[in-house]
Amino acid sequence: MNIARFLATMAGRLFVLLLIGIIASAALALTLSEREREAEISRIRYDRTGERMADFLAIVDRAPRGLRAELISAGVTGVRRATGREALHGPDADLTQGLSARWRMPVRAIHANPHSCLAPSPADHDTHAADHFDCWVVAVQLSDGAIARLQLRSRVPAEGLGLNPTVVLILAALMVSLALVAARMAAAPLDDLARAATELGNDLDRRPLPETGPVEVRDAAKAFNQMQTRLRASVVERTQLLASITHDLQTPMTRLRLRLEKVGDAALRSRLVDDLGVMQALIREGLDYARNTQSTEPLARLDLDHLLELVVEDAAVGGKPVRFIGGCGAEAEVRARALQRCLANLIDNAVKYGGATEVSAQLAGDDVDIRIRDRGPGIPADKLAHVFEPFVRVASEATSAIDGIGLGLAIARTLAERNGASLTLRNHPEGGLEARLILKGTGAAATEELTDPA
């Protein structure tokens, strides 16, 4: 997937927005959680430090005076006699309160510089050792009134979140997946609406959008379905109106034809009859063009080569110089009558303006490329796109005398669009005009040839 194109879509922008929001929320939650964890660890550390000091004081307080000095000098883990060299910073109210509550005798805890609390040993020279513990000097009164000055040390826990890299990767993957799923869910109704609008241009009788999902999506689908209903009703009304006008014109035009036969001047009579014929053709093809815009023919799977052979055979039976030179060996889901009429119009147009015509088809990936080439003079390059417009004809010395009102290619393009196909024209490098009808995404599949095992 093109990342720049994806980020330009609604789903891409929602994905980025949601991902930023999720990451920010997760980071804030982890930060608050870490602070809470550090506060809880600090509380537990103070409690354990106080318990250790209280237990040591209880032993020292019950010991005889002669043994008391030895116990204080020997100390226990994290507790020993103060050296007097400690650099004091100030009282620690929390530790003082905790020790006083446990010992129930006057206690005072003062912060000391950890470097000044190191014992005189080779470890003193390890300046990094002091970075891993806190140090206090505690003055406490024993039950007999004696004052003991002790040095209390407590190891500092390692800083940081301490998250496992695997856990971080899993969390990141879950965040990205959640943001992507949410973005696609939010943008999916827009994709469905865009797809339905595209299909509506080719088929007014397509299935209505399902009116499901959130309220906004249901309202949009309902409005789209109502628009489709109104458009279909408008086209049907227009076609019926044109059909009625055509039907009503038949009678007066027939009477006019009979009256023209009584005109004495043969040359004038011929010109008037020709003009009347053009009017009848215009009405007939105009009605045909309108009817093709609201066909309700269903899709059906058929052999494309067989259809092409039938169309070519019908044209050849009528005496037209057309031949089928190669097939694609594929089947496809198409509207058969619309496609047959489209091909017939293209062949008629090619024979009329270009003489000998060749028809071929070939697979192009999942598409089918049908080509109809004539041997005529072609069309100026700047006119190729305009000839698909209704009532447009490109006159030349070779075609000025050919009958037609300019609806053949317009009808062919309408019928092609009914099949989801694209129709283009080009001047062939070897001469003549080539029409290319490409059936896109029709589910074309190569047909299997059955052989006789005998």
Side-chain angles (χ1 to χ4, degrees):
M1 178 184 293
N2 189 315
I3 296 179
R5 179 178 176 81
F6 173 69
L7 294 178
T9 64
M10 178 66 73
R13 295 181 181 183
L14 286 175
F15 168 73
V16 172
L17 182 62
L18 288 172
L19 186 59
I20 292 174
I22 292 173
I23 291 176
S25 300
L28 178 61
L30 288 174
T31 301
L32 294 176
S33 175
E34 175 64 10
R35 290 185 178 179
E36 183 68 22
R37 185 183 73 90
E38 290 177 352
E40 184 65 17
I41 290 176
S42 178
R43 184 188 64 78
I44 294 173
R45 187 162 65 94
Y46 268 68
D47 288 345
R48 290 182 177 179
T49 301
E51 289 176 0
R52 186 167 65 249
M53 175 63 80
D55 292 342
F56 180 72
L57 289 176
I59 295 173
V60 170
D61 189 59
R62 289 195 296 268
R65 283 184 175 271
L67 182 59
R68 180 182 298 172
E70 294 181 8
L71 289 174
I72 292 176
S73 297
V76 294
T77 303
V79 181
R80 69 179 185 179
R81 185 191 301 275
T83 64
R85 297 189 302 272
E86 294 87 358
L88 304 180
H89 294 318
D92 187 333
D94 292 337
L95 185 58
T96 297
Q97 182 179 359
L99 289 174
S100 298
R102 285 181 171 83
W103 184 238
R104 300 185 184 281
M105 294 289 286
V107 178
R108 186 184 183 195
I110 303 174
H111 275 294
N113 187 335
H115 293 273
S116 65
C117 294
L118 292 173
S121 67
D124 293 351
H125 303 291
D126 185 2
T127 58
H128 297 289
D131 296 334
H132 301 298
F133 66 88
D134 287 329
C135 182
W136 298 267
V137 173
V138 180
V140 56
Q141 182 179 349
L142 302 179
S143 59
D144 61 0
I147 301 298
R149 289 178 60 82
L150 303 172
Q151 184 188 104
L152 177 63
R153 291 191 297 178
S154 175
R155 183 170 293 278
V156 178
E159 296 181 355
L161 295 175
L163 293 178
N164 190 311
T166 303
V167 175
V168 174
L169 290 176
I170 293 175
L171 287 175
L174 289 175
M175 290 178 190
V176 172
S177 300
L178 178 61
L180 185 59
V181 170
R184 288 197 175 279
M185 287 180 61
L190 291 178
D191 293 338
D192 293 340
L193 190 61
R195 191 179 305 109
T198 302
E199 293 175 358
L200 185 63
N202 299 327
D203 184 8
L204 284 175
D205 298 304
R206 64 173 304 278
R207 289 183 180 180
L209 281 174
E211 298 178 11
T212 58
V215 175
E216 296 82 0
V217 176
R218 292 200 302 268
D219 290 345
K222 183 178 180 180
F224 184 86
N225 292 336
Q226 290 175 347
M227 179 189 69
Q228 179 180 347
T229 301
R230 289 193 295 269
L231 285 174
R232 184 167 54 241
S234 175
V235 171
V236 170
E237 180 182 5
R238 183 189 66 178
T239 304
Q240 291 176 344
L241 176 62
L242 187 57
S244 299
I245 293 174
T246 303
H247 180 270
D248 292 342
L249 283 174
Q250 293 298 327
T251 300
M253 293 185 73
T254 301
R255 289 198 302 265
L256 183 59
R257 177 64 179 268
L258 293 174
R259 291 170 181 170
L260 288 176
E261 294 295 337
K262 299 179 180 180
V263 175
D265 188 335
L268 177 61
R269 182 173 63 246
S270 177
R271 288 196 297 271
L272 292 175
V273 169
D274 291 341
D275 291 341
L276 184 60
V278 172
M279 294 174 59
Q280 289 177 323
L282 179 61
I283 293 173
R284 183 172 56 254
E285 293 194 26
L287 177 61
D288 199 16
Y289 177 72
R291 283 175 175 169
N292 287 323
T293 63
Q294 54 106 33
S295 172
T296 58
E297 181 185 2
L299 290 170
R301 178 167 286 275
L302 55 81
D303 185 339
L304 293 176
D305 289 349
H306 180 64
L307 177 63
L308 289 171
E309 289 173 354
L310 288 178
V311 175
V312 171
E313 183 179 347
D314 289 342
V317 169
K320 298 175 181 177
V322 56
R323 62 192 182 98
F324 183 52
I325 62 174
C328 60
E331 294 181 349
E333 293 279 347
V334 296
R335 291 178 172 83
R337 287 194 298 273
L339 181 57
Q340 183 176 7
R341 177 67 190 279
C342 174
L343 293 169
N345 274 20
L346 292 174
I347 291 174
D348 287 344
N349 191 78
V351 172
K352 182 185 298 183
Y353 294 98
T357 300
E358 297 174 348
V359 179
S360 64
Q362 60 186 20
L363 284 175
D366 292 333
D367 303 336
V368 176
D369 185 0
I370 300 174
R371 303 188 181 193
I372 300 172
R373 179 192 172 193
D374 61 43
R375 302 291 177 172
I379 296 176
D382 60 338
K383 305 285 183 160
L384 287 173
H386 297 292
V387 294
F388 288 111
E389 298 174 6
F391 307 108
V392 172
R393 294 182 62 201
V394 180
S396 67
E397 295 181 0
T399 63
S400 58
I402 298 177
D403 295 334
I405 61 174
L407 280 177
L409 289 176
I411 293 175
R413 185 179 63 174
T414 300
L415 294 170
E417 291 174 349
R418 295 284 298 163
N419 277 289
S422 66
L423 176 59
T424 59
L425 296 177
R426 70 159 185 161
N427 291 307
H428 198 278
E430 298 179 4
L433 186 69
E434 183 179 67
R436 296 185 63 184
L437 178 67
I438 300 179
L439 296 170
K440 298 180 179 179
T442 56
T447 57
E448 296 182 359
E449 294 184 1
L450 299 179
T451 59
D452 188 352

Short mmCIF file of all heavy atoms in Angstrom, two decimals, residues 250-276:
data_model
loop_
_atom_site.label_atom_id
_atom_site.label_comp_id
_atom_site.label_asym_id
_atom_site.label_seq_id
_atom_site.Cartn_x
_atom_site.Cartn_y
_atom_site.Cartn_z
N GLN A 250 -45.74 8.87 -35.05
CA GLN A 250 -45.76 7.89 -36.14
C GLN A 250 -46.92 8.12 -37.10
O GLN A 250 -46.75 8.08 -38.33
CB GLN A 250 -45.82 6.47 -35.56
CG GLN A 250 -44.60 6.04 -34.80
CD GLN A 250 -43.36 6.01 -35.68
OE1 GLN A 250 -43.44 5.71 -36.88
NE2 GLN A 250 -42.22 6.33 -35.10
N THR A 251 -48.10 8.37 -36.54
CA THR A 251 -49.29 8.52 -37.39
C THR A 251 -49.21 9.75 -38.29
O THR A 251 -49.36 9.63 -39.53
CB THR A 251 -50.56 8.59 -36.52
OG1 THR A 251 -50.66 7.37 -35.76
CG2 THR A 251 -51.80 8.74 -37.39
N PRO A 252 -48.92 10.96 -37.73
CA PRO A 252 -48.83 12.12 -38.64
C PRO A 252 -47.66 12.00 -39.63
O PRO A 252 -47.78 12.47 -40.77
CB PRO A 252 -48.63 13.31 -37.69
CG PRO A 252 -48.16 12.72 -36.42
CD PRO A 252 -48.79 11.39 -36.32
N MET A 253 -46.56 11.34 -39.24
CA MET A 253 -45.45 11.19 -40.17
C MET A 253 -45.80 10.20 -41.28
O MET A 253 -45.34 10.35 -42.42
CB MET A 253 -44.18 10.74 -39.42
CG MET A 253 -43.65 11.82 -38.47
SD MET A 253 -42.09 11.36 -37.68
CE MET A 253 -40.97 11.53 -39.04
N THR A 254 -46.59 9.19 -40.93
CA THR A 254 -47.03 8.25 -41.97
C THR A 254 -47.94 8.97 -42.97
O THR A 254 -47.83 8.79 -44.19
CB THR A 254 -47.78 7.06 -41.34
OG1 THR A 254 -46.89 6.40 -40.43
CG2 THR A 254 -48.23 6.08 -42.41
N ARG A 255 -48.87 9.80 -42.44
CA ARG A 255 -49.75 10.55 -43.32
C ARG A 255 -48.93 11.52 -44.18
O ARG A 255 -49.19 11.71 -45.36
CB ARG A 255 -50.78 11.35 -42.51
CG ARG A 255 -51.84 10.47 -41.86
CD ARG A 255 -53.05 11.30 -41.46
NE ARG A 255 -52.69 12.38 -40.55
CZ ARG A 255 -52.78 12.30 -39.23
NH1 ARG A 255 -53.20 11.17 -38.67
NH2 ARG A 255 -52.45 13.32 -38.47
N LEU A 256 -47.89 12.13 -43.54
CA LEU A 256 -47.05 13.06 -44.28
C LEU A 256 -46.31 12.33 -45.41
O LEU A 256 -46.15 12.86 -46.52
CB LEU A 256 -46.04 13.72 -43.33
CG LEU A 256 -45.12 14.78 -43.92
CD1 LEU A 256 -45.92 15.93 -44.52
CD2 LEU A 256 -44.17 15.31 -42.83
N ARG A 257 -45.88 11.09 -45.13
CA ARG A 257 -45.18 10.30 -46.15
C ARG A 257 -46.11 10.02 -47.33
O ARG A 257 -45.70 10.10 -48.50
CB ARG A 257 -44.68 8.99 -45.53
CG ARG A 257 -43.98 8.05 -46.52
CD ARG A 257 -42.71 8.68 -47.06
NE ARG A 257 -42.02 7.80 -47.97
CZ ARG A 257 -41.07 6.95 -47.62
NH1 ARG A 257 -40.70 6.87 -46.34
NH2 ARG A 257 -40.47 6.19 -48.51
N LEU A 258 -47.35 9.69 -47.03
CA LEU A 258 -48.31 9.41 -48.10
C LEU A 258 -48.59 10.66 -48.93
O LEU A 258 -48.73 10.59 -50.16
CB LEU A 258 -49.61 8.87 -47.49
CG LEU A 258 -49.51 7.50 -46.81
CD1 LEU A 258 -50.83 7.15 -46.13
CD2 LEU A 258 -49.13 6.43 -47.82
N ARG A 259 -48.67 11.78 -48.27
CA ARG A 259 -48.95 13.01 -48.99
C ARG A 259 -47.75 13.44 -49.85
O ARG A 259 -47.90 14.03 -50.93
CB ARG A 259 -49.31 14.13 -48.02
CG ARG A 259 -50.69 13.88 -47.37
CD ARG A 259 -50.97 14.83 -46.25
NE ARG A 259 -52.26 14.56 -45.62
CZ ARG A 259 -52.70 15.11 -44.50
NH1 ARG A 259 -51.92 15.99 -43.88
NH2 ARG A 259 -53.89 14.80 -44.03
N LEU A 260 -46.51 13.14 -49.31
CA LEU A 260 -45.34 13.50 -50.09
C LEU A 260 -45.27 12.71 -51.39
O LEU A 260 -44.68 13.18 -52.39
CB LEU A 260 -44.06 13.25 -49.26
CG LEU A 260 -43.81 14.23 -48.10
CD1 LEU A 260 -42.57 13.80 -47.32
CD2 LEU A 260 -43.64 15.65 -48.63
N GLU A 261 -45.83 11.51 -51.40
CA GLU A 261 -45.81 10.70 -52.62
C GLU A 261 -46.63 11.35 -53.74
O GLU A 261 -46.46 11.00 -54.92
CB GLU A 261 -46.35 9.30 -52.33
CG GLU A 261 -45.49 8.48 -51.38
CD GLU A 261 -44.13 8.17 -51.95
OE1 GLU A 261 -43.99 8.18 -53.20
OE2 GLU A 261 -43.19 7.93 -51.17
N LYS A 262 -47.49 12.29 -53.37
CA LYS A 262 -48.34 12.94 -54.38
C LYS A 262 -47.70 14.20 -54.95
O LYS A 262 -48.29 14.85 -55.81
CB LYS A 262 -49.70 13.29 -53.77
CG LYS A 262 -50.47 12.06 -53.29
CD LYS A 262 -51.78 12.46 -52.67
CE LYS A 262 -52.57 11.24 -52.18
NZ LYS A 262 -53.87 11.63 -51.57
N VAL A 263 -46.50 14.56 -54.43
CA VAL A 263 -45.84 15.75 -54.96
C VAL A 263 -45.39 15.47 -56.39
O VAL A 263 -44.76 14.44 -56.68
CB VAL A 263 -44.62 16.12 -54.07
CG1 VAL A 263 -43.85 17.27 -54.70
CG2 VAL A 263 -45.11 16.49 -52.68
N GLY A 264 -45.75 16.39 -57.30
CA GLY A 264 -45.47 16.15 -58.70
C GLY A 264 -44.00 16.22 -59.07
O GLY A 264 -43.51 15.47 -59.92
N ASP A 265 -43.27 17.12 -58.46
CA ASP A 265 -41.86 17.29 -58.79
C ASP A 265 -41.07 16.13 -58.17
O ASP A 265 -40.96 16.00 -56.94
CB ASP A 265 -41.36 18.63 -58.23
CG ASP A 265 -39.95 18.95 -58.71
OD1 ASP A 265 -39.20 18.02 -59.04
OD2 ASP A 265 -39.60 20.15 -58.71
N ALA A 266 -40.53 15.26 -59.01
CA ALA A 266 -39.85 14.05 -58.53
C ALA A 266 -38.63 14.39 -57.68
O ALA A 266 -38.36 13.75 -56.64
CB ALA A 266 -39.43 13.18 -59.71
N ALA A 267 -37.84 15.39 -58.11
CA ALA A 267 -36.64 15.75 -57.35
C ALA A 267 -37.01 16.30 -55.98
O ALA A 267 -36.41 15.93 -54.95
CB ALA A 267 -35.83 16.78 -58.13
N LEU A 268 -38.01 17.16 -55.92
CA LEU A 268 -38.46 17.71 -54.65
C LEU A 268 -39.03 16.61 -53.76
O LEU A 268 -38.77 16.57 -52.55
CB LEU A 268 -39.51 18.80 -54.90
CG LEU A 268 -40.13 19.41 -53.65
CD1 LEU A 268 -39.06 20.08 -52.79
CD2 LEU A 268 -41.23 20.42 -54.03
N ARG A 269 -39.82 15.71 -54.39
CA ARG A 269 -40.40 14.60 -53.62
C ARG A 269 -39.31 13.74 -53.00
O ARG A 269 -39.38 13.34 -51.83
CB ARG A 269 -41.30 13.76 -54.52
CG ARG A 269 -41.96 12.62 -53.76
CD ARG A 269 -42.97 11.88 -54.62
NE ARG A 269 -42.31 11.25 -55.76
CZ ARG A 269 -42.51 11.58 -57.03
NH1 ARG A 269 -43.31 12.60 -57.35
NH2 ARG A 269 -41.87 10.95 -58.01
N SER A 270 -38.27 13.47 -53.74
CA SER A 270 -37.18 12.64 -53.22
C SER A 270 -36.48 13.31 -52.05
O SER A 270 -36.17 12.65 -51.02
CB SER A 270 -36.18 12.36 -54.34
OG SER A 270 -35.08 11.62 -53.85
N ARG A 271 -36.23 14.62 -52.18
CA ARG A 271 -35.56 15.32 -51.09
C ARG A 271 -36.43 15.35 -49.83
O ARG A 271 -35.95 15.18 -48.72
CB ARG A 271 -35.20 16.75 -51.52
CG ARG A 271 -34.04 16.79 -52.53
CD ARG A 271 -33.46 18.20 -52.63
NE ARG A 271 -34.45 19.14 -53.14
CZ ARG A 271 -34.65 19.41 -54.43
NH1 ARG A 271 -33.92 18.78 -55.35
NH2 ARG A 271 -35.56 20.28 -54.80
N LEU A 272 -37.74 15.58 -50.01
CA LEU A 272 -38.64 15.63 -48.87
C LEU A 272 -38.76 14.26 -48.19
O LEU A 272 -38.79 14.16 -46.96
CB LEU A 272 -40.03 16.11 -49.32
CG LEU A 272 -40.11 17.58 -49.77
CD1 LEU A 272 -41.51 17.90 -50.30
CD2 LEU A 272 -39.77 18.51 -48.59
N VAL A 273 -38.81 13.21 -48.97
CA VAL A 273 -38.88 11.85 -48.41
C VAL A 273 -37.59 11.54 -47.64
O VAL A 273 -37.62 10.93 -46.56
CB VAL A 273 -39.12 10.82 -49.52
CG1 VAL A 273 -38.93 9.40 -48.99
CG2 VAL A 273 -40.52 10.98 -50.09
N ASP A 274 -36.44 11.95 -48.19
CA ASP A 274 -35.18 11.73 -47.48
C ASP A 274 -35.15 12.47 -46.14
O ASP A 274 -34.71 11.94 -45.11
CB ASP A 274 -34.00 12.18 -48.34
CG ASP A 274 -33.79 11.27 -49.54
OD1 ASP A 274 -34.31 10.13 -49.50
OD2 ASP A 274 -33.10 11.69 -50.48
N ASP A 275 -35.63 13.71 -46.15
CA ASP A 275 -35.68 14.49 -44.90
C ASP A 275 -36.60 13.82 -43.88
O ASP A 275 -36.29 13.78 -42.68
CB ASP A 275 -36.16 15.92 -45.18
CG ASP A 275 -35.13 16.73 -45.96
OD1 ASP A 275 -33.95 16.32 -45.94
OD2 ASP A 275 -35.49 17.76 -46.55
N LEU A 276 -37.71 13.32 -44.35
CA LEU A 276 -38.63 12.63 -43.46
C LEU A 276 -37.98 11.37 -42.89
O LEU A 276 -38.17 11.04 -41.71
CB LEU A 276 -39.92 12.29 -44.22
CG LEU A 276 -41.03 11.63 -43.39
CD1 LEU A 276 -41.45 12.56 -42.25
CD2 LEU A 276 -42.23 11.29 -44.26
#
